[in-house]
Amino acid sequence: MQDLANKLTLEQIDKKIKQISSLSKLPLPAEGWIYNIRQALGISLKQLGNKMHITPAGVKEMEKRESNDSITIKSLKDFASALDLKFVYGFIPKDGSLEKMIEKRALQIAQNIVLKTSHTMALEDQQNNPARIKKAIKDRAQQIKNEMPKYLWD
């Protein structure tokens, strides 16, 4: 069975994910946050460079790296710090929660296991009916989810 500490961690992270999930619907500025914030505040490349202790060309390069997804988290934190902003980042599962990711993966594994076994039984003329196979998949998925075996993500 999944130990209590892991279960609590999963619940806490899913709670945080739920709080920030609405952010995934917001479109990112095409030129990046750094450029757009700098423009909105009316700060020149030179002024921002002075605040960050880098050259104006360094600021321009940072804006370019952000727009092509090659900027580092450290650079984003440095920018935020220079302008007294709070830097925030996170991950939002496409399925909505880590719990759902686990359920989906457990179901895939259970289906593979049960259908493989069912196929073997059919070859031995001991075929199960579809309702029983469906229940076996559901039960096995629940067992896998509860146990969280190492092979879950193989």
Side-chain angles (χ1 to χ4, degrees), residues 20-96:
I20 65 167
S21 64
S22 63
L23 296 176
S24 69
K25 296 174 182 81
L26 296 175
L28 296 175
E31 301 88 3
W33 285 106
I34 296 171
Y35 174 82
N36 279 277
I37 290 172
R38 184 175 65 75
Q39 291 296 311
L41 294 175
I43 299 174
S44 71
L45 290 169
K46 183 177 181 183
Q47 290 169 320
L48 182 54
N50 288 340
K51 288 183 170 290
M52 295 184 70
H53 309 291
I54 61 175
T55 65
V59 174
K60 193 70 176 159
E61 179 62 26
M62 191 170 59
E63 290 177 350
K64 182 180 173 186
R65 285 194 323 264
E66 183 190 8
S67 70
N68 68 23
D69 296 332
S70 64
I71 194 163
T72 65
I73 290 174
K74 182 185 180 326
S75 293
L76 293 170
K77 286 180 178 180
D78 290 346
F79 167 75
S81 177
L83 292 181
D84 199 27
L85 301 169
K86 184 174 182 178
F87 175 69
V88 179
Y89 77 93
F91 298 96
I92 301 169
K94 291 177 183 176
D95 290 331

Side-chain angles (χ1 to χ4, degrees), residues 3 46 52 70 109 112 116 119 144:
D3 69 32
K46 183 177 181 183
M52 295 184 70
S70 64
I109 293 170
N112 288 340
K116 189 180 208 181
H119 178 71
I144 292 168

